[in-house]
Amino acid sequence: MYAIIETGGKQYKVKAGDEITVELLGEDAGKSYTFDRVLGIVDGENTIIGKPLVAGATVTAQVVGDGKAKKVIIYKHKSKKGFHKKKGHRQPFTRVKIESIAK
C-alpha cells in the first residue's frame, strides 16, 4: 500500500516505514505530523485517485529532525564588464518517517 502526498509544492510517493525529506515543516523532532493533502492511494488492486484530493485520507508521520541541504553556489558574471557576484544557499528540510496511511 502506498500513497501520493503533496507538501511544499512537491509530490512524494510514500509507504509505511519510508523516511523522506520534505520542505521545512517547523515541527519539533519526535512529534507526529499529519499530511492531509493526499492525491492518491493504491492498496493492492484498489486504486483511489482524488479530484484533486482523496476525501478523508491522511498520512501520519513522525518528525525525525531538521537539517540543511548541501550548499548551492549561485555565480553571476557579465563578460567584459568586470561584474562578478557569488552567493551561496542551503535549503532547510525536515526528515519524516511515515507511520501509517488512512483512507
Side-chain angles (χ1 to χ4, degrees):
M1 177 177 196
Y2 67 89
I4 308 295
I5 62 170
E6 180 186 4
T7 180
K10 298 174 183 70
Q11 297 176 4
Y12 300 92
K13 177 182 173 183
V14 297
K15 59 184 176 186
D18 284 354
E19 193 169 300
I20 62 169
T21 302
V22 297
E23 292 292 320
L24 190 65
L25 297 175
E27 292 289 327
D28 294 330
K31 288 199 173 183
S32 183
Y33 188 83
T34 303
F35 296 101
D36 56 353
R37 296 191 53 84
V38 180
L39 304 174
I41 296 177
V42 176
D43 182 17
E45 64 280 343
N46 298 329
T47 302
I48 304 167
I49 304 295
K51 296 177 182 150
L53 304 174
V54 178
T58 59
V59 174
T60 307
Q62 186 81 18
V63 177
V64 176
D66 295 335
K68 285 187 175 183
K70 228 176 133 179
K71 184 175 271 192
V72 177
I73 302 296
I74 298 97
Y75 187 75
K76 296 180 180 181
H77 170 263
K78 294 192 189 270
S79 64
K80 302 179 206 151
K81 301 297 179 195
F83 175 80
H84 299 274
K85 191 175 194 179
K86 184 176 180 180
K87 187 175 184 180
H89 175 73
R90 292 183 69 190
Q91 185 71 23
F93 65 82
T94 300
R95 290 205 51 87
V96 295
K97 182 169 181 151
I98 306 299
E99 292 179 335
S100 65
I101 299 169
K103 294 182 197 177

